[in-house]
Amino acid sequence: MLPADDPGWASYADAILRLHGTPAVEVDLAQPVAVKARAAFASAGLDGPFGLVTPCNPRGQGASPHTNETLLARFLAELDAAGKRYVRADGLSRDRRHVEQGVALAWPRADVVALARKWDQSAIYWWDGAAFWVVGALTHTAPMRLGGA
């Protein structure tokens, strides 16, 4: 795939990350990540690099809410059955009308990308400890750093 094959590609750099927890934390991926958000990552067990992946809307193509709920249930059941630890995390459009439910995984980047490919995802978000990146899974492109230079 190329970025042009994913109708939502241009919006990836302008997304909001919602990390589930008490309280939930939202991070504007177009901005540098604040100290408070970094502390929330650490308290959720994400104190090093981690990736964000969703099973929803495969290949960037909009799926019905029912299909996305089914995909998410299968995805989480697979992670649970394998004993894989994850933190629930969602990607939201800036206006918060579009939500893609997923997880944050403190795995090696190659493993997160492989999982995304298995679930037909164009890309993942990757936190390297300093910034978020959009990293292609099915999409062949250079990683894109988010949050300013």
Side-chain angles (χ1 to χ4, degrees):
M1 283 180 70
L2 297 173
D5 298 326
D6 179 340
W9 189 266
S11 67
Y12 290 179
D14 203 31
I16 306 293
L17 163 66
R18 179 184 300 144
L19 189 68
H20 292 228
T22 307
V25 175
E26 289 192 0
V27 177
D28 182 341
L29 298 180
Q31 301 296 320
V33 177
V35 172
K36 182 178 178 181
R38 292 169 190 252
F41 297 161
S43 69
L46 302 168
D47 53 352
F50 64 88
L52 302 162
V53 67
T54 177
C56 300
N57 300 315
R59 296 182 167 271
Q61 304 297 316
S64 72
H66 174 75
T67 297
N68 282 332
E69 288 171 18
T70 300
L71 288 168
L72 181 67
R74 286 182 33 224
F75 179 73
L76 296 176
E78 180 178 296
L79 292 173
D80 289 339
K84 301 294 187 179
R85 186 185 173 288
Y86 59 86
V87 176
R88 289 280 296 109
D90 303 330
L92 295 80
S93 62
R94 191 152 295 280
D95 65 8
R96 293 178 174 60
R97 285 192 238 176
H98 178 80
V99 177
E100 288 205 22
Q101 298 180 72
V103 298
L105 301 161
W107 297 2
R109 186 170 99 171
D111 293 349
V112 178
V113 169
L115 181 66
R117 284 185 182 130
K118 178 180 179 181
W119 288 87
D120 288 327
Q121 294 302 304
S122 299
I124 65 162
Y125 288 105
W126 181 254
W127 170 252
D128 67 5
F132 277 101
W133 297 76
V134 175
V135 175
L138 295 177
T139 303
H140 298 285
T141 188
M144 177 175 47
R145 188 177 196 275
L146 305 177

